[in-house]
Amino acid sequence: MGRLKLYAGLEKIDMISNELLITIKHQLYNTQKSIVKISGSSMEPLLIDGDYVIIISDISSVNIGAVYLIEYYGQLLLHRCVQVEQNYICFKGDNSLRIERIEEKNI
């Protein structure tokens, strides 16, 4: 069993089924929390493949340096906020080169 971590936001959960995505969204909507097992290496060494995180959906603002669960082109990613621009928020895995730029209205 992986380690359990608590975060006020969301690392990379590789391609997941629509059913799992709907389940996570349903849990967040109804209880404000969901436990998710992550896969991938984009947030190493903070999070490793097999870790569990508790997702909390009660977020009133996005803070640089915090880790958030985001939906990006059909993938759920647990990445760190690295920049806040006028209309966009940028996220990046700690062990990743790619930056995900998301319109603020989609957060």
Side-chain angles (χ1 to χ4, degrees):
M1 180 178 254
R3 301 176 296 166
L4 183 65
K5 302 219 176 216
L6 174 63
Y7 292 95
L10 293 188
E11 170 195 50
K12 183 170 189 271
I13 302 170
D14 285 324
M15 295 298 284
I16 62 171
S17 69
N18 284 337
E19 182 179 312
L20 180 56
L21 180 58
I22 290 168
T23 299
I24 292 170
K25 286 182 177 181
H26 185 277
Q27 287 175 341
L28 291 174
Y29 179 78
N30 289 318
T31 66
Q32 303 293 304
K33 294 179 186 171
S34 183
I35 296 175
V36 177
K37 181 178 181 180
I38 63 167
S39 66
S41 60
S42 66
M43 283 299 290
E44 287 183 358
L46 176 67
L47 299 171
I48 59 172
D49 192 17
D51 280 353
Y52 289 85
V53 294
I54 298 174
I55 308 305
I56 302 170
S57 66
D58 184 23
I59 298 173
S60 58
S61 64
V62 177
N63 299 306
I64 294 175
V67 178
Y68 298 93
L69 180 64
I70 58 173
E71 187 175 353
Y72 186 74
Y73 291 104
Q75 288 186 313
L76 284 181
L77 306 173
L78 193 61
H79 281 176
R80 189 176 306 281
C81 175
V82 294
Q83 185 175 0
V84 178
E85 301 173 357
Q86 185 171 3
N87 296 316
Y88 293 89
I89 300 174
C90 299
F91 298 89
K92 180 183 172 300
D94 291 355
N95 190 31
S96 178
L97 298 175
R98 181 181 76 182
I99 293 178
E100 297 86 26
R101 191 168 181 245
I102 300 175
E103 284 188 83
E104 189 172 8
K105 68 180 181 181
N106 293 328
I107 298 293

